[in-house]
């Protein structure tokens, strides 16, 4: 009977694993089957390096959206990663037990807040604040990066804290025994030991930031042009797809799907980079 249950569970697990792989395969198949012909029709260089997007004139250059996505994601990472890292260190090594549970619950709640709610928060609070402080319309690269930095915090904090807690306590105690201070032991011993987990958390944060749509549409200005400043509007690749997919037909629709292909390739490159970094660190050790 136990053998039968074991075999049944193996089959269940295999089916679940195959379903996940099949879902990814079907997504890839749909994107590349519909997107690559559009890139071929438009021309790879015109599509990837073109600076004009005018669907009415059959001009589909996504270079401004690529740059905008990189700028917005980069700004979010520059702001969000240090905050998330210090928060994780505080929760893992400094946080009093009395406030740990409320803090942990609050961060987990942040992860469950819908994107549209973050968008309303940015539109009602952050955009007017930026407008009154720095001038301009308020809907800008700065607003999008700040909002995304807030949104990626729970995505990075959770795995980073787990990575820090998984480091053997003997590392920390050994560092203290050798005369290092508490802070030096944490930042020079614990963090490097948890590097692979922290890098994975950062990649998850990048994936969340570069794939975010609704919140960015509401605060970024949604202007299909080359980014010209921190306080000027821009349009990311995801925003471009969502904004125009509702009425797109023919080559226009295919070009939007091709934009999704480029976005998908970006995520693949990020994940491959993480794998290479982890392999190099393992070889170095």
């Amino acid at each position: 009977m136990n053998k039968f249950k074991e075999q049944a569970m193996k089959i269940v697990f295999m089916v679940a694993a195959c379903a996940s792989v099949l879902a990814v395969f079907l997504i890839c198949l749909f994107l590349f089957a519909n997107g690559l012909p559009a890139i071929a029709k438009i021309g790879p260089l015109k599509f990837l390096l073109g600076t004009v997007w005018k669907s009415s004139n059959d001009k589909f250059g996504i270079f401004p959206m690529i740059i905008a996505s990189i700028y917005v994601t980069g700004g979010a990472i520059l702001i969000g990663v240090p905050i998330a890292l210090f928060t994780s260190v505080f929760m893992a090594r400094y946080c009093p037990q009395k406030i740990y549970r409320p803090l942990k619950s609050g961060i987990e709640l942040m992860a469950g807040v819908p994107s549209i709610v973050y968008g309303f928060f940015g539109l009602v609070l952050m955009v007017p604040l930026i407008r009154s402080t720095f001038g301009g319309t308020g809907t800008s690269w700065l607003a999008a990066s700040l909002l995304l930095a807030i949104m990626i915090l729970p995505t990075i904090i959770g795995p980073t804290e787990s990575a820090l807690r998984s480091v053997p306590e003997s590392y920390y105690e050994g560092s203290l025994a050798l005369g290092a201070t508490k802070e030096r032991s944490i930042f020079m011993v614990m963090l490097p030991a948890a590097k692979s987990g922290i890098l994975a958390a950062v990649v998850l944060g990048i994936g969340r930031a570069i794939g975010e749509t609704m919140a960015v549409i509401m605060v970024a200005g949604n202007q299909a042009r080359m980014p010209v400043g921190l306080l000027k509007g821009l349009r990311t690749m995801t925003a471009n797809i969502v904004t125009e997919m509702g009425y797109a037909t023919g080559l226009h629709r295919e070009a939007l799907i091709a934009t999704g292909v480029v976005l998908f390739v970006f995520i693949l490159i990020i994940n491959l980079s993480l794998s290479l970094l982890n392999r190099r660190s393992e070889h170095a050790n």
Side-chain angles (χ1 to χ4, degrees), residues 44-53 60-65 226:
L45 292 180
K46 286 184 179 180
F47 182 69
L48 295 173
L49 301 179
T51 57
V52 178
W53 179 278
F60 302 106
I62 65 165
F63 191 65
M65 277 75 85
M226 287 294 293

Side-chain angles (χ1 to χ4, degrees), residues 81-109:
V81 168
I83 296 172
L85 187 61
F86 291 143
T87 304
S88 302
V89 170
F90 172 75
M91 293 179 68
R93 308 301 310 184
Y94 291 95
C95 186
Q97 198 60 36
K98 289 182 180 179
I99 66 170
Y100 178 79
R101 284 186 177 278
L103 182 60
K104 184 75 172 176
S105 299
I107 291 170
E108 289 173 351
L109 182 62

Side-chain angles (χ1 to χ4, degrees), residues 4-258:
F4 174 75
K5 285 183 179 178
E6 187 178 336
Q7 290 298 325
M9 291 309 297
K10 281 184 180 179
I11 292 170
V12 170
F13 294 146
M14 186 179 292
V15 169
C18 291
S20 302
V21 173
L22 180 63
V24 174
F25 173 76
L26 290 175
I27 290 169
C28 293
L29 184 64
F30 167 77
L31 282 175
F32 286 101
N34 290 275
L36 291 181
I39 295 175
K41 288 178 189 175
I42 299 165
L45 292 180
K46 286 184 179 180
F47 182 69
L48 295 173
L49 301 179
T51 57
V52 178
W53 179 278
K54 286 186 178 179
S55 57
S56 56
N57 297 335
D58 284 343
K59 292 183 178 179
F60 302 106
I62 65 165
F63 191 65
M65 277 75 85
I66 292 174
I67 297 298
S69 297
I70 293 172
Y71 281 7
V72 169
T73 304
I77 294 301
L78 285 175
I79 298 166
V81 168
I83 296 172
L85 187 61
F86 291 143
T87 304
S88 302
V89 170
F90 172 75
M91 293 179 68
R93 308 301 310 184
Y94 291 95
C95 186
Q97 198 60 36
K98 289 182 180 179
I99 66 170
Y100 178 79
R101 284 186 177 278
L103 182 60
K104 184 75 172 176
S105 299
I107 291 170
E108 289 173 351
L109 182 62
M110 283 179 67
V113 175
S115 298
I116 194 72
V117 175
Y118 279 111
F120 276 124
F121 167 76
L123 190 63
V124 172
L125 184 65
M126 294 175 65
V127 168
L129 184 62
I130 291 171
R131 186 190 304 130
S132 61
T133 305
F134 301 107
T137 61
T139 51
S140 59
W141 168 18
L142 178 61
S145 291
L146 285 173
L147 186 59
L148 283 178
I150 295 171
M151 294 179 69
I152 66 175
L153 287 179
T155 306
I156 300 175
I157 290 171
T160 301
E161 185 197 352
S162 299
L164 286 170
R165 290 187 182 277
S166 67
V167 176
E169 193 66 19
S170 58
Y171 285 32
Y172 177 69
E173 293 172 354
S175 179
L176 292 178
L178 290 171
T181 62
K182 182 177 181 179
E183 288 73 24
R184 191 173 181 82
S185 299
I186 291 170
F187 286 96
M188 302 302 291
V189 177
M190 304 290 284
L191 285 178
K195 182 170 64 175
S196 60
I198 294 170
L199 284 173
V202 172
V203 168
L204 286 174
I206 293 172
R208 172 76 195 272
I210 202 170
E212 183 52 51
T213 308
M214 294 309 300
V216 173
I217 287 176
M218 296 176 75
V219 301
N222 199 25
Q223 298 173 17
R225 64 179 186 186
M226 287 294 293
V228 291
L230 196 60
L231 300 176
K232 300 296 184 180
L234 40 71
R235 180 190 288 185
T236 62
M237 287 187 283
T238 53
N240 190 50
I241 295 169
V242 170
T243 302
E244 302 191 8
M245 185 57 84
Y247 59 86
T249 56
L251 184 59
H252 183 195
R253 181 176 181 276
E254 292 176 5
L256 293 175
I257 296 173

